[in-house]
């Protein structure tokens, strides 16, 4: 309640997973939201997951993308991988394998194993020119420190 984002995010995890308290997605969303609005990248990812899956809130892919993007811009590899998955599936954004590959590649380079799997999966559906374009976008995005990608 004192505005400490990390503690708020931890409370969200406790309620979201039912660790030491009864599982309650609505309460988890409340705590994730407080932390996410303060810029906590982990809470932004977890809040994005709640909107993506419709847990504690009505399912809303565009709102999930918003939170994933905010976390991704801070360099959070999980957010980057999740954003790539949204592009791959066309959830909350127009389906775009180039951006799915780009975000998957960036996530993988930041240690997210699923990002590498996503990148490799969408690559099977892309031309060499598209892959080259995605790699160029990824390099530019890293250069811009993930802002405006």
């Amino acid at each position: 309640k004192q505005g400490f984002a990390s503690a708020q995010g931890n409370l969200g995890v406790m309620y979201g997973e039912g660790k030491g308290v009864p599982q309650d997605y609505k309460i988890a969303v409340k705590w994730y939201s407080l932390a996410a609005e303060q810029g906590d990248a982990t809470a932004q990812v977890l809040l994005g997951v709640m909107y993506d899956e419709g847990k504690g809130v009505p399912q809303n892919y565009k709102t999930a993308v918003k939170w994933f993007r905010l976390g991704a811009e801070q360099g959070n590899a999980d957010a980057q991988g999740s954003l790539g998955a949204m592009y791959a599936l066309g959830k909350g954004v127009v389906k775009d394998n180039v951006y799915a590959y780009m975000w998957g590649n960036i996530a993988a380079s930041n240690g997210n194993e699923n990002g590498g799997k996503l990148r490799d999966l969408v690559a099977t559906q892309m031309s060499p020119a598209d892959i080259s374009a995605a790699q160029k976008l990824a390099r530019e995005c890293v250069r811009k420190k993930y802002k405006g990608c």
Side-chain angles (χ1 to χ4, degrees):
K1 292 182 180 181
Q2 295 176 348
F4 186 52
S6 181
Q8 292 166 337
N10 287 338
L11 280 168
V13 170
M14 290 174 68
Y15 281 99
E17 297 178 4
K19 291 185 176 180
V21 295
Q23 187 175 48
D24 188 324
Y25 294 133
K26 287 184 180 185
I27 294 175
V29 166
K30 169 193 162 187
W31 289 113
Y32 289 149
S33 295
L34 289 168
E37 289 167 6
Q38 292 181 69
D40 184 284
T42 300
Q44 290 168 340
V45 174
L46 295 171
L47 186 56
V49 169
M50 300 301 269
Y51 277 100
D52 182 30
E53 297 177 359
K55 291 183 175 177
V57 291
Q59 190 173 49
N60 186 320
Y61 296 137
K62 287 187 179 191
T63 302
V65 166
K66 167 194 163 183
W67 290 112
F68 291 148
R69 187 173 308 282
L70 287 169
E73 288 181 348
Q74 292 188 68
N76 183 288
D78 293 334
Q80 293 164 341
S82 295
L83 186 55
M86 299 302 272
Y87 275 106
L89 298 169
K91 290 169 51 176
V93 291
V94 174
K95 181 177 172 147
D96 189 321
N97 283 341
V98 171
Y99 278 97
Y101 183 105
M102 179 197 80
W103 281 114
N105 195 40
I106 290 169
S109 72
N110 286 324
N112 182 286
E113 189 175 302
N114 289 330
K117 291 176 184 176
L118 171 68
R119 176 200 58 215
D120 296 345
L121 178 65
V122 297
T124 65
Q125 304 166 27
M126 297 170 68
S127 70
D130 287 341
I131 292 170
S132 179
Q135 291 170 339
K136 181 180 178 186
L137 284 172
R139 286 190 300 273
E140 291 173 8
C141 186
V142 170
R143 185 182 49 77
K144 295 190 302 187
K145 299 185 179 177
Y146 316 116
K147 303 288 188 228
C149 299

